[in-house]
Amino acid sequence: MNLSPFRIAAEPYYRPVGNEVSIFEAAYRDRLPVMLKGPTGCGKTRFVEHMAWKLGRPLITVAAHEDMTAADLAGRYLLSQDGTVWHDGPLTLAVRGGAICYLDEIVEARQDTTVVIHPLTDGRRMLPLEKRNELLAAHPDFQLVISYNPGYQSAVKDLKESTKQRFIAIDFTYPEPEIEAEIVMREAGTEAGLAETLVDIAGRSRNLRGAGLNEGASTRMLIHAARLVGAGVGLEQAARASIVLPITDDAEMREALTAAIAACV
Amino acid sequence: MSPARRPRLEVLVTDREQAVARLHQLAGARPALRSAFQPAWQHIASGADPADLEAWASGILDLANVNAGPGCLVAAWQISVTLQPRLGLVALGDVVRAAAELCRRAGSRAAQAGLNACPTVAARLHGAGEMLQWWRSLHHLAQTAPESVALVASNVAAILEPAGLGGWQSFLSAGLKLGGTDRARRLAFFGLEDEAARRMLARLGETVDFQHVERGLKLFLTALWANPPALRIAPHGMPGSGGVGPGGWPRRTSLAGRIVLMPEVYRGVSPETARLLFRAAAAHASAHVALGAGRFPVGQLKPLQLALVGLIEDARIEALAMARFPGLRRLWAPFHTAAATGAATAPGLLARLARALFDPTYVDTDAFVVKGRALFAEHAGRLDDPAMSRRVGNLLGNDLGQQRLQFNARTYVVEPAYRDDGLGLWDFTDPPAERADQIEVVVDAMRPQPQAGEAPPRGEPERDPLAGGRAREAASDGRGVVVATYPEWDRAGNVERPAWTTLRDVPPPLGDAARIDALLAARPDLRQRIARLVRGARLGLPARLRRQIDGPDLDLDALLEAAIAMRRGEPPDERIHRDTVRLARDLSVSILLDCSQSTGERVAGYGAGPPVTVLDVQRQAVALLAEATAPTGDPLALRAFASCGRDDVRLFRLKEFSEPWGAPAKARRAGLQPGLSTRLGAALRHAGAELAAARTHRRLILVLTDGEASDIDVADPLDLVEDTRRVSRQLKARGIDVFGVTLDPCGTGAGAAMFGAGNCMKVTRLDDLPARLAELYFRLARR
Ligand SMILES: Nc1ncnc2c1ncn2[C@@H]1O[C@H](COP(=O)(O)OP(=O)(O)OP(=O)(O)O)[C@@H](O)[C@H]1O
Ligand SMILES: [Mg+2]
């Protein structure tokens, strides 16, 4: 089995914000499954990439979605010239090959899909492949990581208690302003003043979380804005295009955000 | 006046000291004038300061001197009589002199029309300053269109009423531009016969009021400060204050602890400017709250010193605010329009100093302004010390005092317009006894303390360290901030009585949030039942349908099975598609709780445990519902109401639409006590007005009441039933569904009469309420 396409060659830039790196390393030592919690665009994906690189493991990422079935994760029989052939799903691939499997936005999947990870994430470390009548023992290097954004969930759409309680959790929030500015500078290649202003702008929008916005501007948005500025767009225009317009369709909210942004520059 | 007399008069007028005597001579010499002058003089002169009379008389002589004619002189005397109390004689002298100047430029007919317009102008505009600006606009018009001056002045009411001074000025310049050199066109325009003129007036009449911008301002301030002060409309009609415009409308914001009272409208500005002005004012006031430090004791300060300390404090706060948010400079700058020209009046110098401290590029060589700048600059390193405002303000106050410039606290209005009236800075409590009178005057003159109910905003219980004594006293009567007035239907007269009820926003007393949690925990059975309802409804979730005959996607597993079946030679299952259906949700709900006295009645044998009241059951039912619906994300507001006569309909805001169902809302819900009466129509109108702003497609008001409308000043309860029925129907017509849930153990209530049989649910067993309410909610939510 060749997992080399899933290996990460160069170090992905990740700026630690707290003790997340050491917690993850400790968890990996015992192959404990990890849940990354936090709002969108705050560095969860980047963190897993970084850790996979650091631990020297291939990384297989699956973006969960509404229509995902257990077969999409585990694998299924496909047709071939002379019958059917089994095709491993991404999870099975990781389990066999000893990769880190990252299930992004796990709650998007239906609960009957997510239960397939249960035997993998307890003492058994097994993946039952029902269709194949196989009970696959996980490779010793295999680890499961999921991401979970608590902000968007509701009682109707949430992880089962029995799923949640299998994981170590690391909480991601937006970093301190200085650190966030450092990340923006580094990722977008801009100067400090601009990055600081953008982080300040993000702070304005984050104040409106729960007061009309589901979520404030993410680090990712700031990087986008900084790149637009780098390409010659004016700061307020860039903030509008990369923050105000994507984040809300509510005209009053847009106006208020625009005014608050204007106050920052 | 005959030409023969002119030389003699000219000689006399130059002798300023004797203007009063000369005026008597002039009037006495002509019988036509004498009969008009004598009564006017008696009126004006009684009790007047001789120096003021001199100043006034010299203005009148100026008018006589330009050959204005007896009509003008008589008009000048008349307006002097009527406007003396408002403007004072000195300012009236200036007004008459302005009329003389107009006479010189456009003739006596124009001057007379201008004088005749003065009472209207004085009623619409503010003080002598604006009055003189109005005259200057006529002077300006006279340069290009002298023929139109009299005409436009005679139309003053029609123009000034909707447009204010700013609009008046824009109207004049628009007329000049449109009319160009075409005299007839100009006359048509200023005579309001031209279509363009009418359209312009209509447009100037459009105002942006607080309600239009309220939500946006709230969002803006939340973005800036995270925890901004609450915004309210300033009550209308506070007596004789400098911050109050004609008709009693407040013209400036006012700070009251963590509450900002905003003018309902800014008159005389374009809608675009009004929006900016609201935003600039909200930013300024919130900066005081965020960066200021409590109130200053009034001590021995005089009104002028108070104004100056306030001005310095404004500059200090704005400097701090702009250090934090540099862009605020661009928001505030356009309103600093004071210019370093004209006579040095106290208000003028204050406005210039305000600009000088704000705008480093502004040039002003007036000694007072220069000194103010220097003093402020000296303290630049200590901007975070509020004591500097007091020091610098006092020093400057002494300076200005020595210049003997008149400062009238009653007519003083803080400039620029976005700034607050400055009174929120001062602690007027506990004045030393011998000073009490004077302070009373100051307070009175500038603004009375905020009216009742300036309660701390939600989530910030009582402990407002800044609340002044009077404010607290007023609040303790519990009548709350007036938020609206509503009409009510008069059954006997068969008419709608306008503005009949007054709705007051009363902060709900806080109770123990844990009590609500206990109520929830007490009924695990109900909780589960309702939770099942939510799950069963699967509200808002897209449902995925596999193995469909038709659909936008292929069902991969079904497809494979079908292919395998075909290879085996078996008939394949054709249902190989996938589809999703989304149960769209687009619903806002406002729940209106009757908490009148009758809801305090005890209910025997409800559930297990001690006896509870109707209100308790309501409490539990609503808590269960709020908890259960939280996951759907439907905006849900909770309001309670009770009334004590038509001018005291109280509304308690327990939970806002976007607020999560958390401890603060629970505490408000828990604290509510039964009391007073049920004026349902007014509360319903308000809930309707709030919901009208909701963006969702469906809007629903659920009323929980015992079905017995009543109030202390209503003899026949049927009046209120009928009023409620009409409101329900009106709301329905506006796309807002009203549904009544009547807790009516005896079955005597008028629920069906008020809401219509199809829109009413009678609950006779209170035990049933929570579950019935939840069922109802989901039923209504789905239809
Ligand atoms: N601590 C960090 N170090 C380096 N880059 C970061 C950090 N935090 C955020 N970023 C930047 O933000 C971008 C978005 O982060 P990432 O894609 O990891 O977000 P995420 O949390 O996975 O979001 P989502 O939940 O939407 O998937 C990254 O591409 C990276 O540029
Ligand atoms: Mg991600």
Side-chain angles (χ1 to χ4, degrees):
Chain A
M1 184 179 347
N2 182 10
L3 287 185
S4 58
F6 297 102
R7 288 192 185 274
I8 297 166
E11 173 176 2
Y13 165 67
Y14 180 77
R15 167 69 164 89
V17 172
N19 59 359
E20 67 273 26
V21 173
S22 54
I23 298 264
F24 193 97
E25 281 173 333
Y28 185 75
R29 195 166 309 132
D30 284 327
R31 306 297 186 265
L32 295 174
V34 174
M35 158 159 50
L36 309 180
K37 287 185 153 188
T40 181
C42 67
K44 300 185 295 289
T45 302
R46 179 61 64 87
F47 174 70
V48 192
E49 287 171 349
H50 178 82
M51 291 314 296
W53 171 84
K54 195 163 187 199
L55 298 166
R57 302 314 314 156
L59 176 66
I60 297 179
T61 301
V62 184
H65 57 85
E66 194 41 49
D67 285 335
M68 196 168 74
T69 61
D72 291 331
L73 276 179
R76 55 166 59 90
Y77 281 106
L78 295 179
L79 297 174
S80 73
Q81 216 68 84
D82 36 35
T84 59
V85 293
W86 175 257
H87 182 88
D88 277 347
L91 179 62
T92 310
L93 208 59
V95 171
R96 279 192 215 281
I100 293 177
C101 180
Y102 180 40
L103 286 178
D104 208 352
E105 281 303 343
I106 179 90
V107 279
E108 287 302 324
R110 290 160 50 106
Q111 293 184 346
D112 55 353
T113 305
T114 39
V115 290
V116 305
I117 64 174
H118 280 195
L120 261 181
T121 46
D122 52 29
R124 294 172 278 176
R125 281 178 60 86
M126 295 286 205
L127 178 62
L129 301 172
E130 273 164 39
K131 292 235 170 87
R132 241 169 96 89
N133 246 331
E134 183 184 344
L135 197 57
L136 179 65
H139 187 285
D141 292 342
F142 167 80
Q143 190 197 21
L144 185 68
V145 181
I146 63 176
S147 81
Y148 171 74
N149 186 335
Y152 311 144
Q153 270 66 58
S154 59
V156 225
K157 200 176 198 185
D158 195 0
L159 286 184
K160 271 168 147 8
E161 208 53 38
S162 54
T163 310
K164 279 185 195 166
Q165 295 204 4
R166 294 178 134 77
F167 289 84
I168 299 285
I170 300 178
D171 211 5
F172 282 71
T173 48
Y174 305 115
E176 293 291 300
E178 299 77 42
I179 299 181
E180 195 170 18
E182 189 187 317
I183 296 170
V184 173
M185 269 167 73
R186 160 82 196 243
E187 287 288 290
T190 50
E191 40 91 23
L194 171 66
E196 280 160 18
T197 305
L198 283 169
V199 171
D200 192 24
I201 287 173
R204 300 314 104 226
S205 69
R206 289 167 195 169
N207 282 345
L208 289 165
R209 179 169 188 262
L213 287 183
N214 290 327
E215 199 58 79
S218 61
T219 310
R220 177 187 294 133
M221 282 182 152
L222 304 186
I223 294 169
H224 290 172
R227 290 202 173 128
L228 289 188
V229 174
V233 180
L235 175 51
E236 283 182 72
Q237 283 309 308
R240 183 172 175 78
S242 51
I243 298 173
V244 179
L245 298 186
I247 217 169
T248 177
D249 294 314
D250 169 349
E252 279 175 341
M253 177 58 87
R254 284 181 170 180
E255 196 186 329
L257 265 180
T258 306
I261 288 171
C264 293
V265 302
Chain B
M1 173 164 332
S2 74
R5 288 226 173 96
R6 256 172 75 202
R8 193 163 67 100
L9 271 175
E10 275 173 5
V11 173
L12 293 172
V13 179
T14 54
D15 190 358
R16 293 267 164 189
E17 297 301 305
Q18 316 245 328
V20 168
R22 298 303 161 215
L23 180 56
H24 274 90
Q25 262 176 6
L26 164 77
R30 298 192 54 185
L33 289 178
R34 195 188 316 141
S35 58
F37 180 68
Q38 278 314 324
W41 171 258
Q42 265 160 25
H43 208 284
I44 289 165
S46 75
D49 182 308
D52 291 358
L53 276 173
E54 269 305 302
W56 172 77
S58 96
I60 301 281
L61 288 174
D62 273 9
L63 188 62
N65 199 27
V66 295
N67 243 350
C72 268
L73 289 175
V74 172
W77 297 332
Q78 271 166 2
I79 66 149
S80 298
V81 170
T82 28
L83 297 180
Q84 184 183 11
R86 200 173 201 138
L87 299 178
L89 282 178
V90 178
L92 278 166
D94 291 341
V95 167
V96 178
R97 215 168 278 121
E101 176 62 28
L102 188 65
C103 181
R104 218 175 269 129
R105 298 182 187 203
S108 70
R109 214 168 62 84
Q112 190 171 343
L115 286 166
N116 289 337
C118 277
T120 311
V121 176
R124 299 277 174 268
L125 300 186
H126 193 76
E130 289 194 357
M131 167 74 88
L132 289 170
Q133 266 178 287
W134 180 82
W135 276 98
R136 278 197 289 279
S137 70
L138 292 186
H139 296 164
H140 182 73
L141 182 67
Q143 273 172 1
T144 348
E147 80 291 336
S148 301
V149 176
L151 193 55
V152 80
S154 65
N155 282 323
V156 67
I159 304 166
L160 222 45
E161 171 69 49
L165 182 60
W168 163 270
Q169 286 162 339
S170 344
F171 185 78
L172 294 197
S173 39
L176 284 175
K177 212 179 281 168
L178 271 171
T181 52
D182 180 348
R183 191 165 177 271
R185 177 94 203 262
R186 292 197 307 241
L187 282 170
F189 189 94
F190 292 117
L192 309 187
E193 274 146 28
D194 190 307
E195 184 50 34
R198 292 219 200 90
R199 265 206 316 274
M200 174 154 190
L201 275 190
R203 202 166 46 76
L204 286 172
E206 282 168 20
T207 50
V208 171
D209 59 26
F210 178 70
Q211 279 93 349
H212 288 116
V213 296
E214 179 175 11
R215 177 165 176 267
L217 290 181
K218 213 173 126 193
L219 294 173
F220 172 58
L221 295 187
T222 307
L224 290 188
W225 309 110
N227 179 23
L231 303 178
R232 300 268 187 282
I233 295 184
H236 168 205
M238 295 188 293
S241 137
V244 173
W249 291 103
R251 294 148 51 96
R252 296 291 182 263
T253 51
S254 227
L255 289 165
R258 283 191 54 90
I259 305 225
V260 178
L261 299 171
M262 311 265 324
E264 184 166 18
V265 288
Y266 284 104
R267 294 194 185 272
V269 296
S270 70
E272 304 86 81
T273 310
R275 281 176 193 281
L276 287 177
L277 193 46
F278 271 117
R279 187 179 297 155
H284 176 86
S286 65
H288 271 295
V289 176
L291 306 169
R295 298 190 188 197
F296 297 119
V298 166
Q300 303 289 318
L301 295 187
K302 302 208 172 53
L304 176 59
Q305 283 167 316
L306 295 185
L308 267 163
V309 174
L311 189 154
I312 302 295
E313 176 70 0
D314 281 343
R316 180 183 82 86
I317 290 293
E318 287 185 2
L320 290 176
M322 291 187 293
R324 174 66 190 84
F325 295 117
L328 290 178
R329 176 175 291 285
R330 275 173 288 135
L331 178 59
W332 288 326
F335 299 99
H336 284 269
T337 54
T341 52
T345 62
L349 282 176
L350 291 186
R352 284 159 62 177
L353 178 60
R355 177 164 187 189
L357 298 184
F358 176 86
D359 174 1
T361 65
Y362 168 71
V363 180
D364 197 322
T365 53
D366 179 274
F368 168 76
V369 176
V370 169
K371 176 157 183 195
R373 250 184 173 158
L375 278 174
F376 193 79
E378 263 173 43
H379 290 76
R382 275 184 281 152
L383 282 181
D384 43 12
D385 176 13
M388 79 149 257
S389 299
R390 208 183 155 100
R391 261 178 57 78
V392 175
N394 282 346
L395 288 173
L396 288 172
N398 294 338
D399 251 48
L400 207 55
Q402 276 157 20
Q403 293 192 37
R404 300 239 179 71
L405 287 174
Q406 263 194 17
F407 178 78
N408 185 345
R410 275 176 203 281
T411 55
Y412 173 64
V413 187
V414 173
E415 293 292 347
Y418 69 80
R419 287 193 173 166
D420 60 284
D421 64 10
L423 284 154
L425 286 181
W426 300 100
D427 186 354
F428 291 105
T429 50
D430 301 330
E434 76 275 15
R435 293 253 308 149
D437 283 357
Q438 202 182 334
I439 285 173
E440 207 52 42
V441 170
V442 173
V443 175
D444 246 34
M446 295 166 93
R447 171 173 61 77
Q449 285 288 313
Q451 294 201 339
E454 307 308 354
R458 281 166 290 103
E460 305 231 1
E462 281 78 25
R463 294 169 275 107
D464 181 356
L466 303 179
R470 289 175 70 170
R472 210 174 293 136
E473 211 173 274
S476 69
D477 87 11
R479 280 161 60 108
V481 180
V482 173
V483 285
T485 57
Y486 289 106
E488 193 170 79
W489 183 252
D490 178 353
R491 200 165 54 100
N494 210 31
V495 289
E496 189 157 81
R497 299 190 194 121
W500 190 251
T501 57
T502 303
L503 199 101
R504 297 164 191 275
D505 188 345
V506 180
L510 294 185
D512 185 359
R515 175 135 181 254
I516 294 286
D517 289 326
L519 277 175
L520 289 173
R523 298 300 303 266
D525 52 333
L526 283 176
R527 222 174 172 178
Q528 264 168 30
R529 200 165 130 201
I530 293 170
R532 266 201 306 279
L533 267 172
V534 182
R535 273 201 305 278
R538 285 193 72 79
L539 298 166
L541 270 188
R544 183 184 47 188
L545 308 172
R546 328 193 89 235
R547 296 180 194 273
Q548 298 293 300
I549 297 283
D550 229 343
D553 296 315
L554 289 173
D555 182 333
L556 190 52
D557 290 311
L559 198 59
L560 287 167
E561 277 168 29
I564 291 164
M566 271 153 69
R567 291 192 184 186
R568 286 206 208 105
E570 293 165 7
D573 187 338
E574 287 168 15
R575 294 170 301 158
I576 54 165
H577 291 94
R578 278 192 330 196
D579 204 352
T580 49
V581 287
R582 194 172 276 275
L583 308 168
R585 297 194 59 66
D586 201 10
L587 168 74
S588 305
V589 186
S590 181
I591 298 185
L592 205 52
L593 297 171
D594 173 356
C595 62
S596 61
Q597 190 56 48
S598 49
T599 60
E601 279 167 23
R602 293 195 175 283
V603 186
Y606 173 77
V612 292
T613 62
V614 176
L615 192 66
D616 281 327
V617 182
Q618 275 190 13
R619 222 191 291 276
Q620 188 174 52
V622 170
L624 281 163
L625 184 64
E627 185 193 48
T629 55
T632 65
D634 290 347
L636 173 85
L638 287 183
R639 304 281 184 255
F641 68 98
S643 62
C644 185
R646 69 183 178 93
D647 76 327
D648 191 7
V649 183
R650 302 179 192 178
L651 187 85
F652 304 89
R653 290 134 58 98
L654 308 177
K655 176 185 175 302
E656 301 299 336
F657 285 105
S658 57
E659 190 187 1
W661 174 238
K666 285 179 185 171
R668 291 191 289 272
R669 184 67 194 89
L672 206 61
Q673 294 301 324
L676 308 176
S677 319
T678 315
R679 205 168 196 115
L680 191 46
L684 205 49
R685 281 183 178 87
H686 193 71
E690 286 182 316
L691 256 188
R695 281 156 205 291
T696 52
H697 177 60
R698 288 212 44 213
R699 291 163 295 182
L700 172 67
I701 301 177
L702 274 178
V703 187
L704 264 75
T705 167
D706 58 9
E708 308 217 24
S710 68
D711 208 342
I712 48 166
D713 54 354
V714 178
D716 186 352
L718 274 185
D719 285 352
L720 295 181
V721 169
E722 176 65 10
D723 181 52
T724 306
R725 194 175 69 84
R726 289 180 55 90
V727 189
S728 313
R729 290 224 309 256
Q730 282 164 3
L731 288 174
K732 176 100 196 151
R734 286 165 51 195
I736 297 173
D737 293 326
V738 180
F739 201 96
V741 179
T742 53
L743 306 168
D744 193 2
C746 328
T748 53
M754 291 191 290
F755 305 106
N759 285 321
C760 177
M761 183 174 80
K762 211 179 258 180
V763 178
T764 39
R765 281 188 56 219
L766 277 171
D767 211 347
D768 280 339
L769 178 68
R772 296 288 303 274
L773 188 61
E775 278 162 21
L776 173 71
Y777 178 88
F778 289 111
R779 207 177 80 214
L780 292 174
R782 250 176 303 170
R783 76 166 183 208

